[in-house]
Amino acid sequence: MNALSDRLEMQWQRVCSRMRSEIGEAAFSSWLKPMAVQDLTQGKVRLAAPTRFMRDWVVDHYADRLRVLWAEDNPSIVAVDVVIQRSRPPVAGRRSAGSDAADPPQPPAAAPVAAHPTDRLSVPLDPRFTFERFVVGKPNEFAYAAARRVAQAHEVSFNPLFLYSGVGLGKTHLMHAIAGHIRDHDPDRRVVYLSAEKFMYRFIRALREQRAVDFKENFRSVDVLMIDDVQFISGKDSTQEEFFHTFNALVDQGRQIVISSDKSPSDLEGMEERLKSRLGCGLVADIHPTTYELRLGILQSKSEQLGVTMPGKVLEFLAHKIAANVRELEGALNRVIAHAQLVGHDITLETTQEVLKDVLRANDRRITIEEIQKKVAEHFNVKVADMHSARRARAVARPRQVAMFLSKQLTSRSLPEIGRKFGGRDHTTVMHAVKKVTELCDRDAGFAEDVELLRRMLES
Ligand code: ADP
Ligand code: MG
């Protein structure tokens, strides 16, 4: 190494150590440790990332901060660029354990990457999609348990494992986790993970290049075949046919198959009956829509991984408001964090609402204050009119406070607007109600359960 690259490397190490203390060990190891500094030209530093995925992530989340820190260390730096440099050309055949010593020396930029013996049929795995990082709750515990079983079992216990759910609920995450686990613990098993779309694309290309026989042989010699988003081949007849044969050949040889889809096998339209019935004859596990508890758990876990301490109130707010799926939830969290880091603000409920204005509007389930008043009145057995009346007896005042509290939580109305809907009360009355109900929930588990139940009924 020459003096310049030595100096650059030392600067990078210093930048790294500052980043590590800012973002925490977990996020640092996932994202920045695998980066390698490549060169410096005209004030622009180039970092190499092992995959496109990691490049995009680092650019989105850390590039600005890296530039700032680097410029503090070396004022001639004006930009930080991240490029993709794959660790090594795909290796044909398997690498046996302990073959590392015989590998040719790698160029320094590629060295930090712990290369998996990746199968060339497979697409790269997202390093974040592990079992450890999958938050388990009621809606996904069955799918999770099934996935773990497949990852750990040495014998095939159900074939195929068929995972299905709506978008953004963790199918791909679980599939990568299975593949990663097997590669880590059982490197001799040949695991191939790819989307149905890729499968089709490769099949068509093989046909065009008259390599159909190679294609078949290749796919029929894998130990674990994982096809993501199988609904994609609905209606694509020749691909379905090929897939069907591959599927049967593998099952006959006792190889494991894992499939994901956005529908259950029987609901896959445009899929041949015989294929549907084969797909459904193993273990079918669906992931249900998230619950509030699961969303909160996921937010806690993600912010921890990112090394950011989030106020509980903000996490609860996000878990309430962004219920569509986990992908959106993650996106919202990342945006809030990125914004705070960029402008150097603390994360508060107010900044969160501001940053996510558009997302929140889209996720607003448009629960009205009228609905809330009606449900709450029914629940506590008081008249809807009492929501507006001036009566202050506890028997009606308490339900009214609960309704105000829920109006604040579940709608995007402001305090004065809510006050007006409750018989023209002042916004401080609403504020007081919110505070009171929060306190009561903390003190009285039975009351908290009541409020939670109401919230769920309103949200469903
Ligand atoms: P799908 O394949 O079902 O559309 P993904 O697996 O791509 O969904 O999940 C979308 C995002 O949500 C991913 O970033 C994934 O890591 C995350 N995710 C989904 N479920 C969970 C969970 N239970 N715990 C942690 N992260 C999750
Ligand atoms: Mg997916």
Side-chain angles (χ1 to χ4, degrees), residues 8 30 43 97 139 227 253 291 304-305 403:
L8 201 59
S30 307
I227 304 280
Q253 296 172 63
T291 55
E304 232 166 72
Q305 279 157 24

Side-chain angles (χ1 to χ4, degrees), residues 168 170-173 193 228-229 260 327:
K171 299 182 294 295
T172 298
H173 187 133
Y193 163 87
D228 207 349
D229 289 320
S260 91
R327 189 171 297 130

Side-chain angles (χ1 to χ4, degrees), residues 252-293:
D252 289 345
Q253 296 172 63
R255 311 289 168 79
Q256 178 73 55
I257 295 179
V258 183
I259 304 285
S260 91
S261 162
D262 66 352
K263 296 198 181 60
S264 75
S266 53
D267 289 338
L268 279 168
E269 282 162 25
M271 199 72 103
E272 269 186 65
E273 280 310 319
R274 57 179 188 161
L275 182 51
K276 278 198 217 175
S277 82
R278 292 253 29 187
L279 288 175
C281 70
L283 183 73
V284 178
D286 60 337
I287 305 177
H288 298 274
T290 56
T291 55
Y292 171 75
E293 289 72 23

Side-chain angles (χ1 to χ4, degrees), residues 56-69:
D56 292 348
W57 183 273
V58 169
V59 167
D60 282 353
H61 294 84
Y62 304 121
D64 288 322
R65 191 64 192 145
L66 286 174
R67 182 180 49 75
V68 171
L69 289 179

